[in-house]
Amino acid sequence: MTLQSLNRFFFYKLYSVVVSARTYADFTPQATFDIKKCDLHKLEEGPPLQAVLSREEGLQYYRTMQTMRRMELKADQLYKQKIIRGFCHLYDGQEACAVGIEAGINLSDHLITAYRAHGYTLTRGGTVREIMAELTGRRGGIAKGKGGSMHMYTKHFYGGNGIVGAQVPLGAGVALACKYLGKNELCVCLYGDGAANQGQIFETYNMASLWKLPCIFICENNKYGMGTSVERAAASTDYYKRGDFIPGLRVDGMDVLCVREATKLAAEHCRSGKGPILMELQTYRYHGHSMSDPGVSYRTRDEIQEVRSKSDPISMLKDRMLSNNMASVEELKEIDVEVRKEIEDAAQFATTDPEPPLDDLCNHIFYNDPPMEVRGTNPWTKLKSVS
Amino acid sequence: MASLRCFLRSGKNAVSAGLRREFHRTPPAAVQVTVRDALNQAMDEELERDERVFLLGEEVAQYDGAYKISRGLWKKYGDKRIIDTPITEMGFAGIAVGAAMAGLRPICEFMTFNFSMQAIDQVINSAAKTYYMSAGLQPIPIVFRGPNGASAGVAAQHSQCFAAWYSHCPGLKVVSPWSAEDSKGLLKSAIRDDNPVVFLENELMYGVPFEMSEEAQSKDFIIPIGKAKLERQGNHVTLVSHSRMVSLCLDAAAVLAKEGIECEVINMRTIRPLDAEAIETSIMKTNHLITVEGGWPQFGVGAEILARIMEGPAFNYLDAPAVRVTGVDIPMPYAKILEDNSIPQIKDIIFSVKKTLNV
């Protein structure tokens, strides 16, 4: 090693020591931020107008949102390379919703959503590796390659549901089980602005309210149900009011702190036995409805660009933390590098892991049953199915 | 409670019958139990056995059940376990499936299976397919039950048979009991099963009493799903049927016996998974097959049985083409004469047997 490189080496080591020393002494451990006031429906009090964010929390939210963002962008890339196929509904732009909600509940609570589910699979305990391998249909996928983009499950996370609106009664059913079993858990039940007009959702509002189920209904309003803007789909776009007899609040879904505080309020409401509550998160998706939708025939590129520059959830958090000296630029950059590496590794795994074995084709039809025979494509083909 | 009342009511008949008959006959510890009471007993016993089991549906609680199947259960178990729902099938079926996902064992009653069409997405896409899509992470231990098929004078929208529709789908088990024993044993099995089971009852059978053996009266009496039962032995022709049509097959067999034609009657008990082996074994003996069902012919239960027999070892044993006796391929009319002629009658079975046997 040359003297020069040695010097550089020691300088770097010294610098990183200095950086770590800065961690404890020079960064602000926590700060209070103003958050937008929520519109309320049949609610006396909304969430507080200020949120306290600790440095650890901030770094964690940042890392998770960045991981989500990069994961979705990598999925975009893999889809265009035809390594991911079928449906792929990306979540970039909406990260503050998933992260903010999880910050307001516990892992022991329950959550169910529709098909734009990769972000929630992550916040509910899935790893990037198993999510990506599921998208590429490999045996290391979170559902062993049998579910795909819309059917990912983890503990207390019930997917990933392909039929618009069907997840809402399911979520209320989970909430019924929570109440029945008496463990003080609740269920977060998500749907989009497009689904919000579904009849079964109103049926669910009725029963959840009658039976006081501990259910937080959350409408992620990203302004477009596929290619139909909310004004063209709903006679009333005040989604937070559509629960009628259910109290509701409209929340800035681009601000992770706003989402968190609203979720905390909603969770408190449910846990105190008051029954369901409804939150509308106003958010935005950068991608089209799915990978087969360029997303610009029903909205302008200017609109997308404006949201990106003015309301991006990750930028918002980053600016807050930097301007309050809660983290350094380098530190956040380092997180970015780590995240990028994690995504690269996951993508590498997802593209090299083998596909599921053909033996697995007929498995998982029934649970806890003896092995059975399944008819193949012709009468002579008898396939085996185990639980 | 219900079982005790039933026992006392029917015990009287059994005792007097026993005294009338020969003394050397085995004294029946068997009793006469209606299908309704058998279903009630099954639910009562399973509710008692496992506190995760609960019943929801329209009028199941305070009304004692639209057809009184859940009589007495709300009084015994209360609001938490027996839940009256609003008239919102899609919603409450979805809620039932969600509850099953989160660890409970719901019994979801459809007032009739005609109304299950409003909720069929939840039965198929949320219940049947989830265990597979999740590669084994998420089982759904749920029972969907209710009356299925033709009733009497309820016309087209209330008379459809859904056996074929539900049996088409992998991930579901579809059960169709005939007798009181079937009803009790299979419903208990269905409730204990960790998978979605569609349990097709029949309104016209609810009030029919059957002899129930001592064994069947036990709290642990279960009938395995997926196994057919030989109700009557015979050598000349195999009649395969399910639900109420089994009664007609037995009646037709009694008439034909007088003419020297012995029918073997198989009660399917389960539609999916289909006990093809039982049917094949029978055909290998009788060489003739007739399926009898109340549903429509096209793509029906009989159609499936015939296809399987064609593809399986029993084909070589058939001395005549296998045929189906089915409901007429029309929406169910109202007027009695029309309704009576829309579903198989005993004479239709007799006619088909004679045609098949060429007598």
Side-chain angles (χ1 to χ4, degrees):
Chain A
M1 250 179 160
T2 66
L3 191 63
Q4 204 177 26
S5 62
L6 257 173
N7 277 340
R8 235 181 281 141
F9 175 73
F10 282 121
F11 179 76
Y12 178 75
K13 282 258 99 177
L14 190 65
Y15 179 69
S16 33
V17 169
V18 168
V19 166
S20 347
R22 274 196 78 199
T23 307
Y24 300 110
D26 293 339
F27 287 129
T28 318
Q30 72 178 36
T32 308
F33 297 96
D34 291 333
I35 54 177
K36 269 203 201 129
K37 186 169 190 288
C38 295
D39 294 321
L40 302 178
H41 170 72
K42 301 212 168 137
L43 259 182
E44 290 284 305
E45 251 185 76
L49 295 173
Q50 296 191 313
V52 174
L53 177 72
S54 78
R55 195 181 115 81
E56 284 82 46
E57 284 168 346
L59 290 173
Q60 190 226 314
Y61 301 160
Y62 181 82
R63 181 183 290 270
T64 311
M65 288 202 285
Q66 192 68 289
T67 305
M68 217 178 273
R69 175 71 57 93
R70 297 259 128 239
M71 180 177 76
E72 296 295 80
L73 294 179
K74 178 55 79 175
D76 170 280
Q77 213 176 60
L78 292 174
Y79 195 93
K80 286 173 176 149
Q81 294 174 289
K82 296 201 191 329
I83 299 173
I84 296 177
R85 46 189 214 98
F87 287 134
C88 193
H89 307 87
L90 298 178
Y91 198 68
D92 51 312
Q94 299 186 213
E95 295 85 357
C97 297
V99 175
I101 289 170
E102 194 62 45
I105 58 173
N106 308 315
L107 264 178
S108 56
D109 290 316
H110 307 254
L111 191 142
I112 190 170
T113 185
Y115 46 78
R116 202 174 301 280
H118 308 158
Y120 291 100
T121 316
L122 192 67
T123 52
R124 288 260 103 198
T127 64
V128 183
R129 258 166 88 98
E130 46 190 14
I131 293 172
M132 300 217 75
E134 187 60 34
L135 292 175
T136 55
R138 307 304 165 99
R139 64 179 70 184
I142 201 167
K144 302 196 173 88
K146 295 175 99 164
S149 169
M150 300 186 291
H151 308 294
M152 302 193 190
Y153 304 79
T154 70
K155 185 161 187 256
H156 290 203
F157 173 56
Y158 306 89
N161 288 276
I163 307 295
V164 171
Q167 75 277 11
V168 177
L170 294 178
V174 173
L176 187 141
C178 289
K179 183 171 177 179
Y180 191 107
L181 294 167
K183 291 196 270 193
N184 201 27
E185 293 163 2
L186 54 80
C187 185
V188 175
C189 184
L190 293 130
Y191 54 94
D193 49 278
N197 302 310
Q198 276 259 320
Q200 58 186 317
I201 294 185
F202 293 90
E203 294 186 13
T204 308
Y205 289 159
N206 184 39
M207 286 182 273
S209 199
L210 270 178
W211 302 334
K212 293 206 164 16
L213 302 181
C215 198
I216 305 177
F217 295 111
I218 302 187
C219 177
E220 280 180 295
N221 178 5
N222 59 19
K223 297 188 165 60
Y224 300 93
M226 209 154 148
T228 307
S229 68
V230 293
E231 299 80 38
R232 293 202 304 128
S236 162
T237 54
D238 290 332
Y239 297 103
Y240 71 111
K241 288 187 187 169
R242 303 279 295 273
D244 188 9
F245 34 77
I246 297 182
L249 56 160
R250 181 157 55 191
V251 179
D252 177 3
M254 304 306 268
D255 179 353
V256 67
L257 294 179
C258 206
V259 176
R260 182 187 77 182
E261 294 308 308
T263 306
K264 280 187 180 164
L265 180 123
E268 165 59 36
H269 184 273
C270 283
R271 283 192 230 277
S272 63
K274 296 199 184 105
I277 187 168
L278 205 160
M279 276 167 53
E280 176 189 340
L281 303 181
Q282 294 190 302
T283 183
Y284 199 83
R285 54 165 163 80
Y286 295 143
H287 268 86
H289 163 71
S290 71
M291 284 306 298
S292 50
D293 170 26
V296 285
S297 62
Y298 48 87
R299 56 184 189 173
T300 62
R301 286 185 208 273
D302 286 344
E303 181 189 283
I304 307 170
Q305 197 37 46
E306 180 157 358
V307 176
R308 246 191 231 281
S309 53
K310 299 216 178 102
S311 318
D312 184 273
I314 302 176
S315 303
M316 193 190 299
L317 179 65
K318 184 173 176 179
D319 291 343
R320 272 176 167 159
M321 289 188 72
L322 290 176
S323 55
N324 281 269
N325 197 29
M326 293 177 82
S328 71
V329 173
E330 292 78 16
E331 190 176 16
L332 295 181
K333 264 214 180 76
E334 208 177 309
I335 293 179
D336 290 350
V337 168
E338 283 166 14
V339 166
R340 227 175 273 259
K341 181 161 192 312
E342 187 184 353
I343 305 301
E344 275 311 316
D345 281 349
Q348 178 64 13
F349 174 69
T351 47
T352 54
D353 197 40
E355 288 188 289
L358 274 181
D359 296 338
D360 203 36
L361 180 68
C362 297
N363 293 339
H364 312 117
I365 299 287
F366 293 130
Y367 176 54
N368 240 355
D369 254 25
M372 65 177 195
E373 208 173 74
V374 171
R375 187 191 195 275
T377 57
N378 60 68
W380 299 274
T381 310
K382 309 267 186 237
L383 302 168
K384 184 145 172 256
S385 172
V386 299
S387 276
Chain B
M1 288 265 46
S3 48
L4 185 62
R5 249 187 290 135
C6 157
F7 181 80
L8 289 173
R9 217 187 314 122
S10 49
K12 269 193 303 186
N13 301 331
V15 167
S16 47
L19 288 172
R20 269 204 307 278
R21 275 193 240 136
E22 308 92 307
F23 281 96
H24 65 268
R25 268 276 182 93
T26 327
V31 291
Q32 290 279 311
V33 180
T34 61
V35 168
R36 171 180 288 113
D37 289 337
L39 292 166
N40 186 282
Q41 278 173 37
M43 286 198 287
D44 192 353
E45 288 169 10
E46 294 307 300
L47 282 158
E48 196 176 295
R49 178 180 177 268
D50 187 340
E51 46 181 37
R52 297 168 300 171
V53 175
F54 71 100
L55 172 68
L56 88 168
E58 294 155 12
E59 310 302 342
V60 295
Q62 296 188 18
Y63 197 85
D64 270 336
Y67 299 98
K68 305 295 180 235
I69 310 301
S70 54
R71 178 169 38 210
L73 297 180
W74 176 65
K75 265 221 176 83
K76 185 172 176 185
Y77 295 101
D79 285 329
K80 180 180 173 185
R81 317 268 318 269
I82 313 291
I83 305 175
D84 275 336
T85 64
I87 309 173
T88 49
E89 274 77 6
M90 199 168 185
F92 72 69
I95 284 179
V97 177
M101 284 179 171
L104 299 184
R105 303 188 73 91
I107 306 169
C108 176
E109 179 177 305
F110 291 120
M111 198 181 279
T112 76
F113 265 93
N114 300 285
F115 315 141
S116 75
M117 273 204 283
Q118 303 212 297
I120 201 164
D121 174 66
Q122 296 289 1
V123 178
I124 306 301
N125 281 321
S126 302
K129 297 179 184 172
T130 296
Y131 190 65
Y132 186 85
M133 290 192 295
S134 67
L137 287 175
Q138 181 62 72
I140 317 268
I142 189 169
V143 176
F144 298 100
R145 52 159 289 273
N148 174 61
S151 178
V154 292
Q157 293 179 342
H158 289 73
S159 305
Q160 187 170 332
C161 175
F162 288 86
W165 281 36
Y166 287 115
S167 297
H168 187 58
C169 301
L172 282 182
K173 297 185 185 183
V174 180
V175 174
S176 184
W178 165 61
S179 64
E181 257 191 42
D182 285 357
S183 302
K184 184 171 177 205
L186 287 170
L187 185 52
K188 285 167 79 78
S189 277
I191 295 168
R192 294 186 194 191
D193 201 305
D194 289 327
N195 298 286
V197 181
V198 170
F199 193 88
L200 304 171
E201 301 161 6
N202 187 293
E203 204 236 309
L204 297 172
M205 296 302 292
Y206 281 154
V208 178
F210 287 84
E211 194 172 281
M212 200 184 260
S213 66
E214 198 177 345
E215 189 206 346
Q217 292 164 50
S218 129
K219 281 194 177 165
D220 284 306
F221 172 70
I222 52 173
I223 292 176
I225 293 177
K227 288 267 162 278
K229 183 179 178 212
L230 198 61
E231 295 291 348
R232 184 186 193 282
Q233 293 228 28
N235 289 315
H236 299 127
V237 60
T238 301
L239 299 177
V240 178
S241 187
H242 71 100
S243 189
R244 192 172 90 85
M245 291 292 137
V246 175
S247 297
L248 270 76
C249 287
L250 289 171
D251 291 344
V255 173
L256 287 163
K258 296 199 188 107
E259 296 178 46
I261 299 172
E262 292 299 327
C263 302
E264 181 143 292
V265 177
I266 294 180
N267 168 12
M268 290 174 73
R269 283 181 160 176
T270 302
I271 317 290
R272 181 175 187 119
L274 206 152
D275 189 355
E277 207 186 310
I279 304 173
E280 283 163 355
T281 307
S282 178
I283 293 170
M284 291 182 191
K285 186 172 74 166
T286 67
N287 310 120
H288 297 86
L289 172 67
I290 300 177
T291 66
V292 183
E293 68 196 286
W296 294 318
Q298 200 156 311
F299 304 99
V301 174
E304 173 64 19
I305 293 173
L306 264 54
R308 286 220 202 174
I309 297 306
M310 286 280 278
E311 291 180 348
F315 169 74
N316 290 306
Y317 291 78
L318 284 172
D319 288 345
V323 298
R324 306 163 288 169
V325 173
T326 70
V328 178
D329 204 7
I330 52 170
M332 181 68 73
Y334 167 67
K336 187 159 198 320
I337 186 172
L338 297 179
E339 186 182 62
D340 287 346
N341 283 281
S342 304
I343 47 170
Q345 300 176 51
I346 296 171
K347 63 175 169 71
D348 298 318
I349 304 175
I350 294 170
F351 174 78
S352 304
V353 167
K354 290 185 172 172
K355 282 288 256 188
T356 302
L357 293 176
N358 207 16
V359 296

